[in-house]
Amino acid sequence: MIGLDAILFGYRRLKALGEGRAVLITRLLRADVACREIGEGFVIIREGDVLRVRAALGGYVRYELSPPLGLPARLSLLRSHIPSLIVGIFCSLLVLFLSSLVWEVRIEGADAEENRSLEAALAECGFSVGRRWENIDLEEVELSLLEARPELAWVHINRQGTVATVTVMPKEGAPLPGVQLEASNIVADFDGVIEEITVNSGRALVSPGQVVRRGDILISGVITTEGTTVLTRAEGSVVAHVRGSVSATAMTEEHSEVTLRGDPLRISLNILGFSINIFKKYSKEAGECDIIDDVEECLYIGGRRLPISLEYEYSVNVAPRVEFYAVSDLPRIASERLSQLLSDVTAGGDLIKMRTCEEATDGSYTLTADYVIAREIGKEVEIGLVDR
């Protein structure tokens, strides 16, 4: 890829003829000439290094050197085209200006549903797409977000070109990938009876056969030896038998609500944080809507999100829905619903035993399953330190 500096100040394409590529690269390095490979055997050199390149390669390797390329060469061809020259200068300044803006905000460590809420909170803290990097105090934004969202334990904003990566960690949550806690405990996330415990780091506080409650410390990161206390990160696995119960009911007449989305009430074009209304519907229907559904469609090129998007605002209507089932179909429907519930609650564990019971009344049928599963119950919780 050709760099911006090469385009602005001029460059040439250089290629060794025959088998002299290795000699060409070696001679350029010895002459301290900056170069960059772009494929197909070509390298890029700056226009200002042409004389040094000729002196370094002369008599040592056969090579092919292109005519001057880049903006200076273009301008020399456009001397009689002043408008084109002005456009070129304007585009260069525009590129420099746009490179100083925040083009995209990526959030890591939060669910997809929470990303939009966090983006709105960041905007209230003075950090959003379209802001200039030089006008943003990242540490101040991080502190402001922690104050605005008390459920967060840690926030870090990292700049990568024009993209901002915001990494967050909720309180009492597992550490993010690649983020190591300084000191932590492994605590029980469920009530259960310990079946097996494996300690890689820390000190075990429970043993197989012991009953634990949610919140109990299973593996401690506080180790005391010979009167000295050391804080470390607890690591290990705790498998326990966990009891639970789920129920599923089917009725001959079931009432529910269905959400229907109406026509667009507003369409806005967002470019680098600036919003332009391109359609807005003024009607009685828009004023009477209780719920507004916002849908954002972003522009992607090469898998990368651009700071250009369309926002649609729809009216949302909630309509009642009634479904009727035959009495003979109720056991099957309740069984299918119970199977789905069991599949969800036993995911990631091994089913040890299960007992089901049924209850039928006029117009309804209920299936209840009491189960015991063996599953991992430990989760890592940070130990707060005084000096961080």
Side-chain angles (χ1 to χ4, degrees), residues 9-49:
F9 301 108
Y11 68 95
R12 301 236 189 156
R13 295 196 302 175
L14 177 65
K15 181 179 182 180
L17 299 178
E19 301 296 330
R21 178 179 175 276
V23 177
L24 182 143
I25 297 297
T26 301
R27 298 296 300 178
L28 290 180
L29 292 177
R30 289 180 178 176
D32 197 22
V33 174
C35 62
R36 179 182 302 170
E37 291 192 78
I38 60 172
E40 299 183 1
F42 285 98
V43 297
I44 294 296
I45 63 170
R46 294 176 298 188
E47 178 65 26
D49 293 334

mmCIF file of all heavy atoms in Angstrom, residues 9-49:
data_model
loop_
_atom_site.group_PDB
_atom_site.id
_atom_site.type_symbol
_atom_site.label_atom_id
_atom_site.label_comp_id
_atom_site.label_asym_id
_atom_site.label_seq_id
_atom_site.Cartn_x
_atom_site.Cartn_y
_atom_site.Cartn_z
ATOM 1 N N PHE A 9 4.542 13.881 -1.548
ATOM 2 C CA PHE A 9 5.857 14.418 -1.872
ATOM 3 C C PHE A 9 6.520 13.728 -3.064
ATOM 4 O O PHE A 9 7.654 14.048 -3.418
ATOM 5 C CB PHE A 9 6.771 14.314 -0.650
ATOM 6 C CG PHE A 9 6.239 15.049 0.536
ATOM 7 C CD1 PHE A 9 5.736 14.364 1.627
ATOM 8 C CD2 PHE A 9 6.205 16.433 0.558
ATOM 9 C CE1 PHE A 9 5.236 15.039 2.723
ATOM 10 C CE2 PHE A 9 5.706 17.118 1.644
ATOM 11 C CZ PHE A 9 5.208 16.426 2.731
ATOM 12 N N GLY A 10 5.837 12.773 -3.669
ATOM 13 C CA GLY A 10 6.359 12.130 -4.856
ATOM 14 C C GLY A 10 7.080 10.827 -4.574
ATOM 15 O O GLY A 10 7.729 10.681 -3.535
ATOM 16 N N TYR A 11 6.963 9.867 -5.510
ATOM 17 C CA TYR A 11 7.618 8.578 -5.333
ATOM 18 C C TYR A 11 7.876 7.952 -6.701
ATOM 19 O O TYR A 11 7.414 8.447 -7.725
ATOM 20 C CB TYR A 11 6.758 7.644 -4.473
ATOM 21 C CG TYR A 11 5.471 7.203 -5.135
ATOM 22 C CD1 TYR A 11 5.391 5.998 -5.829
ATOM 23 C CD2 TYR A 11 4.318 8.000 -5.085
ATOM 24 C CE1 TYR A 11 4.213 5.594 -6.435
ATOM 25 C CE2 TYR A 11 3.145 7.616 -5.679
ATOM 26 C CZ TYR A 11 3.090 6.403 -6.356
ATOM 27 O OH TYR A 11 1.937 6.010 -6.959
ATOM 28 N N ARG A 12 8.632 6.869 -6.671
ATOM 29 C CA ARG A 12 8.874 6.102 -7.898
ATOM 30 C C ARG A 12 8.739 4.621 -7.578
ATOM 31 O O ARG A 12 8.961 4.187 -6.441
ATOM 32 C CB ARG A 12 10.278 6.370 -8.439
ATOM 33 C CG ARG A 12 10.553 7.835 -8.770
ATOM 34 C CD ARG A 12 10.993 8.005 -10.166
ATOM 35 N NE ARG A 12 11.456 9.362 -10.445
ATOM 36 C CZ ARG A 12 12.284 9.674 -11.405
ATOM 37 N NH1 ARG A 12 12.794 8.704 -12.160
ATOM 38 N NH2 ARG A 12 12.635 10.925 -11.623
ATOM 39 N N ARG A 13 8.419 3.864 -8.619
ATOM 40 C CA ARG A 13 8.374 2.411 -8.500
ATOM 41 C C ARG A 13 9.668 1.833 -9.062
ATOM 42 O O ARG A 13 10.070 2.166 -10.169
ATOM 43 C CB ARG A 13 7.164 1.837 -9.229
ATOM 44 C CG ARG A 13 5.834 2.267 -8.622
ATOM 45 C CD ARG A 13 4.697 1.403 -9.089
ATOM 46 N NE ARG A 13 4.567 1.406 -10.546
ATOM 47 C CZ ARG A 13 3.712 0.649 -11.219
ATOM 48 N NH1 ARG A 13 2.922 -0.191 -10.558
ATOM 49 N NH2 ARG A 13 3.641 0.709 -12.534
ATOM 50 N N LEU A 14 10.284 0.952 -8.271
ATOM 51 C CA LEU A 14 11.579 0.389 -8.629
ATOM 52 C C LEU A 14 11.466 -1.126 -8.650
ATOM 53 O O LEU A 14 10.873 -1.722 -7.750
ATOM 54 C CB LEU A 14 12.638 0.824 -7.602
ATOM 55 C CG LEU A 14 14.053 0.282 -7.773
ATOM 56 C CD1 LEU A 14 14.675 0.811 -9.061
ATOM 57 C CD2 LEU A 14 14.902 0.666 -6.566
ATOM 58 N N LYS A 15 12.038 -1.760 -9.694
ATOM 59 C CA LYS A 15 11.970 -3.211 -9.814
ATOM 60 C C LYS A 15 13.283 -3.743 -10.387
ATOM 61 O O LYS A 15 13.821 -3.198 -11.352
ATOM 62 C CB LYS A 15 10.807 -3.626 -10.714
ATOM 63 C CG LYS A 15 10.650 -5.134 -10.873
ATOM 64 C CD LYS A 15 9.463 -5.473 -11.759
ATOM 65 C CE LYS A 15 9.261 -6.972 -11.877
ATOM 66 N NZ LYS A 15 8.117 -7.315 -12.739
ATOM 67 N N ALA A 16 13.804 -4.795 -9.748
ATOM 68 C CA ALA A 16 15.021 -5.435 -10.237
ATOM 69 C C ALA A 16 14.694 -6.309 -11.440
ATOM 70 O O ALA A 16 13.657 -6.977 -11.480
ATOM 71 C CB ALA A 16 15.657 -6.277 -9.132
ATOM 72 N N LEU A 17 15.569 -6.318 -12.426
ATOM 73 C CA LEU A 17 15.397 -7.159 -13.602
ATOM 74 C C LEU A 17 16.202 -8.442 -13.415
ATOM 75 O O LEU A 17 17.310 -8.432 -12.866
ATOM 76 C CB LEU A 17 15.876 -6.415 -14.856
ATOM 77 C CG LEU A 17 15.137 -5.102 -15.174
ATOM 78 C CD1 LEU A 17 15.736 -4.446 -16.408
ATOM 79 C CD2 LEU A 17 13.654 -5.364 -15.364
ATOM 80 N N GLY A 18 15.624 -9.515 -13.862
ATOM 81 C CA GLY A 18 16.294 -10.805 -13.713
ATOM 82 C C GLY A 18 16.230 -11.300 -12.275
ATOM 83 O O GLY A 18 15.201 -11.196 -11.612
ATOM 84 N N GLU A 19 17.348 -11.823 -11.775
ATOM 85 C CA GLU A 19 17.408 -12.396 -10.430
ATOM 86 C C GLU A 19 18.090 -11.449 -9.445
ATOM 87 O O GLU A 19 18.695 -11.895 -8.455
ATOM 88 C CB GLU A 19 18.170 -13.740 -10.457
ATOM 89 C CG GLU A 19 17.565 -14.784 -11.366
ATOM 90 C CD GLU A 19 16.183 -15.207 -10.893
ATOM 91 O OE1 GLU A 19 15.944 -15.165 -9.667
ATOM 92 O OE2 GLU A 19 15.354 -15.561 -11.749
ATOM 93 N N GLY A 20 18.026 -10.187 -9.687
ATOM 94 C CA GLY A 20 18.779 -9.247 -8.855
ATOM 95 C C GLY A 20 17.976 -8.616 -7.733
ATOM 96 O O GLY A 20 18.406 -7.597 -7.175
ATOM 97 N N ARG A 21 16.820 -9.177 -7.365
ATOM 98 C CA ARG A 21 15.989 -8.555 -6.321
ATOM 99 C C ARG A 21 16.729 -8.482 -4.991
ATOM 100 O O ARG A 21 16.701 -7.453 -4.294
ATOM 101 C CB ARG A 21 14.691 -9.342 -6.158
ATOM 102 C CG ARG A 21 13.779 -8.805 -5.064
ATOM 103 C CD ARG A 21 12.491 -9.613 -4.958
ATOM 104 N NE ARG A 21 11.691 -9.165 -3.833
ATOM 105 C CZ ARG A 21 11.880 -9.579 -2.587
ATOM 106 N NH1 ARG A 21 12.857 -10.440 -2.320
ATOM 107 N NH2 ARG A 21 11.104 -9.139 -1.607
ATOM 108 N N ALA A 22 17.391 -9.578 -4.583
ATOM 109 C CA ALA A 22 18.083 -9.600 -3.291
ATOM 110 C C ALA A 22 19.201 -8.571 -3.263
ATOM 111 O O ALA A 22 19.404 -7.858 -2.263
ATOM 112 C CB ALA A 22 18.629 -10.995 -3.017
ATOM 113 N N VAL A 23 19.957 -8.462 -4.371
ATOM 114 C CA VAL A 23 21.038 -7.480 -4.432
ATOM 115 C C VAL A 23 20.474 -6.067 -4.352
ATOM 116 O O VAL A 23 21.019 -5.189 -3.673
ATOM 117 C CB VAL A 23 21.856 -7.669 -5.730
ATOM 118 C CG1 VAL A 23 22.938 -6.603 -5.843
ATOM 119 C CG2 VAL A 23 22.463 -9.061 -5.766
ATOM 120 N N LEU A 24 19.364 -5.822 -5.039
ATOM 121 C CA LEU A 24 18.735 -4.498 -5.034
ATOM 122 C C LEU A 24 18.340 -4.095 -3.618
ATOM 123 O O LEU A 24 18.647 -2.982 -3.163
ATOM 124 C CB LEU A 24 17.518 -4.499 -5.962
ATOM 125 C CG LEU A 24 16.776 -3.164 -6.101
ATOM 126 C CD1 LEU A 24 16.297 -2.974 -7.520
ATOM 127 C CD2 LEU A 24 15.568 -3.130 -5.162
ATOM 128 N N ILE A 25 17.658 -4.985 -2.900
ATOM 129 C CA ILE A 25 17.221 -4.671 -1.532
ATOM 130 C C ILE A 25 18.428 -4.430 -0.630
ATOM 131 O O ILE A 25 18.452 -3.505 0.192
ATOM 132 C CB ILE A 25 16.345 -5.808 -0.981
ATOM 133 C CG1 ILE A 25 15.055 -5.944 -1.815
ATOM 134 C CG2 ILE A 25 15.986 -5.552 0.473
ATOM 135 C CD1 ILE A 25 14.158 -4.742 -1.785
ATOM 136 N N THR A 26 19.471 -5.268 -0.784
ATOM 137 C CA THR A 26 20.669 -5.132 0.053
ATOM 138 C C THR A 26 21.349 -3.787 -0.185
ATOM 139 O O THR A 26 21.755 -3.085 0.751
ATOM 140 C CB THR A 26 21.644 -6.283 -0.230
ATOM 141 O OG1 THR A 26 20.997 -7.530 0.030
ATOM 142 C CG2 THR A 26 22.884 -6.155 0.639
ATOM 143 N N ARG A 27 21.491 -3.406 -1.450
ATOM 144 C CA ARG A 27 22.136 -2.131 -1.762
ATOM 145 C C ARG A 27 21.323 -0.950 -1.240
ATOM 146 O O ARG A 27 21.893 0.040 -0.755
ATOM 147 C CB ARG A 27 22.315 -1.999 -3.288
ATOM 148 C CG ARG A 27 23.209 -3.056 -3.935
ATOM 149 C CD ARG A 27 24.643 -2.976 -3.452
ATOM 150 N NE ARG A 27 25.245 -1.673 -3.748
ATOM 151 C CZ ARG A 27 26.474 -1.322 -3.392
ATOM 152 N NH1 ARG A 27 27.220 -2.165 -2.689
ATOM 153 N NH2 ARG A 27 26.955 -0.132 -3.695
ATOM 154 N N LEU A 28 19.989 -1.045 -1.306
ATOM 155 C CA LEU A 28 19.154 0.041 -0.782
ATOM 156 C C LEU A 28 19.311 0.169 0.729
ATOM 157 O O LEU A 28 19.369 1.280 1.277
ATOM 158 C CB LEU A 28 17.683 -0.208 -1.140
ATOM 159 C CG LEU A 28 17.299 -0.075 -2.609
ATOM 160 C CD1 LEU A 28 15.821 -0.361 -2.792
ATOM 161 C CD2 LEU A 28 17.642 1.310 -3.158
ATOM 162 N N LEU A 29 19.365 -0.962 1.434
ATOM 163 C CA LEU A 29 19.508 -0.922 2.891
ATOM 164 C C LEU A 29 20.866 -0.346 3.281
ATOM 165 O O LEU A 29 20.975 0.438 4.229
ATOM 166 C CB LEU A 29 19.341 -2.330 3.471
ATOM 167 C CG LEU A 29 17.930 -2.934 3.367
ATOM 168 C CD1 LEU A 29 17.904 -4.353 3.893
ATOM 169 C CD2 LEU A 29 16.924 -2.077 4.139
ATOM 170 N N ARG A 30 21.904 -0.736 2.565
ATOM 171 C CA ARG A 30 23.229 -0.211 2.877
ATOM 172 C C ARG A 30 23.310 1.290 2.625
ATOM 173 O O ARG A 30 24.054 2.011 3.305
ATOM 174 C CB ARG A 30 24.283 -0.935 2.046
ATOM 175 C CG ARG A 30 24.511 -2.389 2.483
ATOM 176 C CD ARG A 30 25.563 -3.050 1.609
ATOM 177 N NE ARG A 30 25.814 -4.433 2.046
ATOM 178 C CZ ARG A 30 26.639 -5.269 1.418
ATOM 179 N NH1 ARG A 30 27.293 -4.851 0.320
ATOM 180 N NH2 ARG A 30 26.812 -6.499 1.882
ATOM 181 N N ALA A 31 22.577 1.765 1.638
ATOM 182 C CA ALA A 31 22.576 3.203 1.333
ATOM 183 C C ALA A 31 21.593 3.966 2.206
ATOM 184 O O ALA A 31 21.415 5.177 2.033
ATOM 185 C CB ALA A 31 22.232 3.409 -0.142
ATOM 186 N N ASP A 32 20.943 3.256 3.142
ATOM 187 C CA ASP A 32 19.976 3.885 4.052
ATOM 188 C C ASP A 32 18.847 4.574 3.295
ATOM 189 O O ASP A 32 18.452 5.701 3.595
ATOM 190 C CB ASP A 32 20.680 4.884 4.967
ATOM 191 C CG ASP A 32 19.822 5.245 6.177
ATOM 192 O OD1 ASP A 32 18.932 4.442 6.517
ATOM 193 O OD2 ASP A 32 20.019 6.327 6.749
ATOM 194 N N VAL A 33 18.341 3.878 2.269
ATOM 195 C CA VAL A 33 17.236 4.395 1.464
ATOM 196 C C VAL A 33 15.947 3.722 1.937
ATOM 197 O O VAL A 33 15.843 2.495 1.951
ATOM 198 C CB VAL A 33 17.450 4.116 -0.037
ATOM 199 C CG1 VAL A 33 16.221 4.540 -0.833
ATOM 200 C CG2 VAL A 33 18.684 4.853 -0.521
ATOM 201 N N ALA A 34 14.955 4.521 2.347
ATOM 202 C CA ALA A 34 13.667 3.981 2.785
ATOM 203 C C ALA A 34 12.904 3.457 1.578
ATOM 204 O O ALA A 34 12.793 4.138 0.554
ATOM 205 C CB ALA A 34 12.854 5.053 3.503
ATOM 206 N N CYS A 35 12.396 2.247 1.696
ATOM 207 C CA CYS A 35 11.623 1.650 0.595
ATOM 208 C C CYS A 35 10.515 0.791 1.174
ATOM 209 O O CYS A 35 10.546 0.412 2.343
ATOM 210 C CB CYS A 35 12.522 0.831 -0.327
ATOM 211 S SG CYS A 35 13.332 -0.568 0.490
ATOM 212 N N ARG A 36 9.537 0.482 0.332
ATOM 213 C CA ARG A 36 8.399 -0.328 0.754
ATOM 214 C C ARG A 36 7.956 -1.217 -0.408
ATOM 215 O O ARG A 36 7.762 -0.726 -1.525
ATOM 216 C CB ARG A 36 7.234 0.573 1.181
ATOM 217 C CG ARG A 36 5.991 -0.184 1.626
ATOM 218 C CD ARG A 36 4.874 0.779 1.973
ATOM 219 N NE ARG A 36 5.281 1.704 3.020
ATOM 220 C CZ ARG A 36 4.579 2.768 3.391
ATOM 221 N NH1 ARG A 36 3.435 3.030 2.795
ATOM 222 N NH2 ARG A 36 5.013 3.571 4.353
ATOM 223 N N GLU A 37 7.802 -2.526 -0.137
ATOM 224 C CA GLU A 37 7.375 -3.456 -1.176
ATOM 225 C C GLU A 37 5.869 -3.357 -1.373
ATOM 226 O O GLU A 37 5.100 -3.244 -0.406
ATOM 227 C CB GLU A 37 7.751 -4.888 -0.795
ATOM 228 C CG GLU A 37 9.256 -5.144 -0.810
ATOM 229 C CD GLU A 37 9.584 -6.626 -0.709
ATOM 230 O OE1 GLU A 37 9.469 -7.324 -1.731
ATOM 231 O OE2 GLU A 37 9.917 -7.049 0.405
ATOM 232 N N ILE A 38 5.427 -3.407 -2.633
ATOM 233 C CA ILE A 38 4.000 -3.322 -2.939
ATOM 234 C C ILE A 38 3.523 -4.514 -3.760
ATOM 235 O O ILE A 38 2.406 -4.515 -4.245
ATOM 236 C CB ILE A 38 3.662 -2.013 -3.680
ATOM 237 C CG1 ILE A 38 4.434 -1.929 -5.008
ATOM 238 C CG2 ILE A 38 3.928 -0.817 -2.800
ATOM 239 C CD1 ILE A 38 3.999 -0.757 -5.868
ATOM 240 N N GLY A 39 4.365 -5.520 -3.897
ATOM 241 C CA GLY A 39 3.955 -6.703 -4.647
ATOM 242 C C GLY A 39 4.460 -6.711 -6.070
ATOM 243 O O GLY A 39 4.850 -5.672 -6.637
ATOM 244 N N GLU A 40 4.465 -7.923 -6.669
ATOM 245 C CA GLU A 40 4.909 -8.132 -8.051
ATOM 246 C C GLU A 40 6.350 -7.679 -8.271
ATOM 247 O O GLU A 40 6.722 -7.253 -9.371
ATOM 248 C CB GLU A 40 3.976 -7.425 -9.038
ATOM 249 C CG GLU A 40 2.537 -7.932 -8.991
ATOM 250 C CD GLU A 40 1.671 -7.245 -10.038
ATOM 251 O OE1 GLU A 40 2.213 -6.406 -10.794
ATOM 252 O OE2 GLU A 40 0.479 -7.560 -10.095
ATOM 253 N N GLY A 41 7.174 -7.732 -7.182
ATOM 254 C CA GLY A 41 8.573 -7.385 -7.302
ATOM 255 C C GLY A 41 8.873 -5.903 -7.238
ATOM 256 O O GLY A 41 10.032 -5.505 -7.295
ATOM 257 N N PHE A 42 7.871 -5.028 -7.137
ATOM 258 C CA PHE A 42 8.073 -3.590 -7.110
ATOM 259 C C PHE A 42 8.285 -3.100 -5.680
ATOM 260 O O PHE A 42 7.692 -3.623 -4.733
ATOM 261 C CB PHE A 42 6.871 -2.843 -7.717
ATOM 262 C CG PHE A 42 6.805 -2.917 -9.216
ATOM 263 C CD1 PHE A 42 5.981 -3.859 -9.831
ATOM 264 C CD2 PHE A 42 7.567 -2.061 -10.001
ATOM 265 C CE1 PHE A 42 5.909 -3.944 -11.204
ATOM 266 C CE2 PHE A 42 7.492 -2.137 -11.393
ATOM 267 C CZ PHE A 42 6.669 -3.084 -11.994
ATOM 268 N N VAL A 43 9.126 -2.083 -5.526
ATOM 269 C CA VAL A 43 9.281 -1.372 -4.268
ATOM 270 C C VAL A 43 9.057 0.110 -4.535
ATOM 271 O O VAL A 43 9.233 0.596 -5.657
ATOM 272 C CB VAL A 43 10.673 -1.598 -3.633
ATOM 273 C CG1 VAL A 43 10.874 -3.051 -3.273
ATOM 274 C CG2 VAL A 43 11.779 -1.117 -4.564
ATOM 275 N N ILE A 44 8.642 0.820 -3.490
ATOM 276 C CA ILE A 44 8.384 2.251 -3.584
ATOM 277 C C ILE A 44 9.546 3.001 -2.939
ATOM 278 O O ILE A 44 9.962 2.682 -1.819
ATOM 279 C CB ILE A 44 7.069 2.608 -2.868
ATOM 280 C CG1 ILE A 44 5.871 1.982 -3.608
ATOM 281 C CG2 ILE A 44 6.887 4.111 -2.783
ATOM 282 C CD1 ILE A 44 5.676 2.496 -4.990
ATOM 283 N N ILE A 45 10.075 3.992 -3.628
ATOM 284 C CA ILE A 45 11.103 4.870 -3.072
ATOM 285 C C ILE A 45 10.637 6.309 -3.211
ATOM 286 O O ILE A 45 9.826 6.642 -4.072
ATOM 287 C CB ILE A 45 12.469 4.683 -3.777
ATOM 288 C CG1 ILE A 45 12.351 5.062 -5.257
ATOM 289 C CG2 ILE A 45 12.986 3.263 -3.607
ATOM 290 C CD1 ILE A 45 13.694 5.137 -5.970
ATOM 291 N N ARG A 46 11.146 7.160 -2.329
ATOM 292 C CA ARG A 46 10.781 8.575 -2.391
ATOM 293 C C ARG A 46 11.491 9.269 -3.555
ATOM 294 O O ARG A 46 12.619 8.909 -3.916
ATOM 295 C CB ARG A 46 11.130 9.256 -1.075
ATOM 296 C CG ARG A 46 10.297 8.756 0.106
ATOM 297 C CD ARG A 46 10.742 9.373 1.400
ATOM 298 N NE ARG A 46 12.134 9.021 1.719
ATOM 299 C CZ ARG A 46 12.722 9.311 2.876
ATOM 300 N NH1 ARG A 46 12.042 9.961 3.813
ATOM 301 N NH2 ARG A 46 13.977 8.959 3.089
ATOM 302 N N GLU A 47 10.837 10.281 -4.081
ATOM 303 C CA GLU A 47 11.423 11.017 -5.201
ATOM 304 C C GLU A 47 12.748 11.657 -4.793
ATOM 305 O O GLU A 47 13.701 11.738 -5.592
ATOM 306 C CB GLU A 47 10.440 12.087 -5.681
ATOM 307 C CG GLU A 47 10.943 12.954 -6.826
ATOM 308 C CD GLU A 47 11.161 12.164 -8.108
ATOM 309 O OE1 GLU A 47 10.492 11.115 -8.293
ATOM 310 O OE2 GLU A 47 12.008 12.591 -8.921
ATOM 311 N N GLY A 48 12.844 12.081 -3.535
ATOM 312 C CA GLY A 48 14.060 12.719 -3.079
ATOM 313 C C GLY A 48 15.253 11.781 -2.957
ATOM 314 O O GLY A 48 16.393 12.233 -2.784
ATOM 315 N N ASP A 49 15.016 10.455 -3.020
ATOM 316 C CA ASP A 49 16.095 9.478 -2.892
ATOM 317 C C ASP A 49 16.559 8.918 -4.238
ATOM 318 O O ASP A 49 17.364 7.979 -4.268
ATOM 319 C CB ASP A 49 15.642 8.309 -1.997
ATOM 320 C CG ASP A 49 15.431 8.740 -0.560
ATOM 321 O OD1 ASP A 49 16.061 9.720 -0.139
ATOM 322 O OD2 ASP A 49 14.629 8.087 0.139
#
